[in-house]
Amino acid sequence: MNEGRASLRRWWRSARALDVEVALRAAVAAAVPLAILVAVGRIDWAAYAAFGGMVAIFGRSEPYGTRLRTVTAAAAAQLMATGLGILLAVIGAPLAAQAIALALVVTAVIVGFNMLGVTPSTPLFAVFGLLVCAAQPVDDGTGWQRWGVAWAAAAFAWLLAMSGWLLRRYGGRAARRDGLFKPLPRRTPTRRRGHADPRLWLNVVQNVLAALAAGGIALALGLGHPYWAVVSAVAVIPPARAAHTVSRAVHRVLGTIAGVAVTALVLWPEPSVWVLVAVVAICQFGAELFVTRHYGTALVFVTPMALTVAHLASPVPVATLVGDRVLETALGAAVGVVAVLAARRFVEVVPMPPPTTATPSVGPPRG
């Protein structure tokens, strides 16, 4: 009996190291709003629920005082981005207005997240929400309702992200003694002077220029989903506190190609909508399980999830969907690599003050 219990504890510690808790939160935050939309016959609003639900992926391994700040800031960013995207769709904003909105969202999220110590500090999720919502036609007077779906999903995800506080508080001494709860070691400080660091603004310029360039090239080539090129470019650029490498671009392209193959296997048989909701939940779980361990593997899950949500919201031929995804991912990744290399060269030529605990760090890896 004691040996079996010890084996169970070893298995639990091994599973706990894989961030099962955050992966499960993210999966539930994705699946429950989608299931509700299916039940009420509004699965075409899936994108708004998906972007609100992304709040649940923030606050990984943070104690709950820090996590409260993180997930609240993430919720504000996601709701700002989706709301602005819906507004652009309602008014039929021209491309110039969409480009300005994109630049503003990128700047606000990078500066705000870095000053508040939000991890991950990338504008990726807000950019994705802004552009997809702007691309959805809203000509039936339901703009407020669509934004309400994003609010409801974000509130649900916020509650999920904070729910572990109750479990840890009332889970009992035995559970805490046996190590059943994962340690929460990450304490990200606020940076009140972070906006004064030129490295932060270099990261802003990187993201804005890469996003606009990727989107512009995709539009010029007549590709069907130009926002994927923008998202891929932003995903390749490291956060303002990270070193500049190009391996992330390679992982993104290879992981996306593998993920597209998985998506084709899922969508071509034309499964029921409930099967697709389950696929989104499983893929969200897998993505969060591996994203901190191997980015390419995480993309094998992220790609089917993103494509399935897009298919639920606005069905198109599967061949067109997966073809656009591969082409635009490669395009965006290439633009992102150029931005990374340009920033590395810039910090070699232009002297910058050394990073401190109050300012983020960005530059070429040392050693």
Side-chain angles (χ1 to χ4, degrees):
M1 178 67 71
N2 290 336
E3 184 177 342
R5 184 177 297 177
S7 298
L8 181 61
R9 288 176 181 171
R10 285 195 298 272
W11 174 87
W12 174 250
R13 291 191 180 98
S14 177
R16 187 181 56 177
L18 288 172
D19 281 332
V20 172
E21 180 183 340
V22 68
L24 184 60
R25 286 201 308 265
V28 173
V32 170
L34 289 181
I36 293 173
L37 289 176
V38 171
V40 300
R42 294 307 322 222
I43 194 58
D44 54 317
W45 291 357
Y48 311 108
F51 294 123
M54 287 179 180
V55 172
I57 71 176
F58 289 83
R60 180 189 298 265
S61 300
E62 293 179 351
Y64 285 90
T66 301
R67 188 179 302 187
L68 175 64
R69 180 183 75 231
T70 295
V71 296
T72 301
Q78 289 302 106
L79 292 173
M80 172 194 67
T82 54
L84 184 54
I86 292 169
L87 177 62
L88 293 172
V90 168
I91 65 176
L95 287 176
Q98 295 184 39
I100 293 172
L102 174 60
L104 290 175
V105 167
V106 168
T107 303
V109 172
I110 291 178
V111 175
F113 277 11
N114 276 275
M115 292 180 66
L116 291 172
V118 175
T119 304
S121 59
T122 172
L124 172 64
F125 306 106
V127 166
F128 200 7
L130 169 73
L131 297 182
V132 172
C133 292
Q136 301 293 316
V138 184
D139 53 7
D140 56 358
T142 59
W144 285 109
Q145 292 93 318
R146 294 167 190 249
W147 199 31
V149 169
W151 271 86
F156 179 62
W158 188 96
L159 290 172
L160 283 174
M162 299 300 297
S163 61
W165 178 81
L166 290 174
L167 295 176
R168 283 169 168 79
R169 184 173 180 84
Y170 300 108
R173 293 182 180 178
R176 291 191 290 272
R177 184 187 65 242
D178 294 340
L180 295 180
F181 295 126
K182 185 177 180 180
L184 303 173
R186 177 183 288 168
R187 286 173 169 80
T188 52
T190 57
R191 297 174 176 83
R192 296 183 179 180
R193 294 288 301 165
H195 63 86
D197 186 359
R199 293 169 177 81
L200 178 63
W201 293 103
L202 173 61
N203 192 244
V204 169
V205 171
Q206 264 188 296
N207 278 272
V208 169
L209 294 182
L212 294 177
I217 295 171
L219 286 170
L221 294 176
L223 299 179
H225 298 82
Y227 53 78
W228 278 333
V230 177
V231 169
S232 294
V234 172
V236 167
I237 299 172
R241 293 190 299 274
H244 286 209
T245 66
V246 298
S247 62
R248 191 174 181 90
V250 176
H251 288 170
R252 182 162 189 88
V253 173
L254 295 180
T256 295
I257 292 173
V260 163
V262 172
T263 306
L265 293 175
V266 170
L267 294 183
W268 256 309
E270 298 184 358
S272 72
V273 68
W274 289 108
V275 171
L276 296 181
V277 169
V279 167
V280 170
I282 293 169
C283 289
Q284 182 71 79
F285 182 87
E288 292 308 311
L289 205 62
F290 290 105
V291 70
T292 59
R293 290 176 169 263
H294 193 275
Y295 187 62
T297 301
L299 260 296
V300 178
F301 292 94
V302 170
T303 300
M305 178 189 65
L307 292 177
T308 301
V309 170
H311 187 72
L312 286 169
S314 182
V316 297
V318 175
T320 300
L321 189 69
V322 299
D324 284 350
R325 176 67 169 179
V326 172
L327 289 175
E328 290 165 16
T329 294
L331 168 62
V335 172
V337 167
V338 171
V340 168
L341 295 177
R344 290 179 64 174
R345 178 60 179 163
F346 183 83
V347 297
E348 290 172 356
V349 174
V350 179
M352 288 192 176
T356 69
T357 56
T359 57
S361 173
V362 20
R366 297 180 180 180

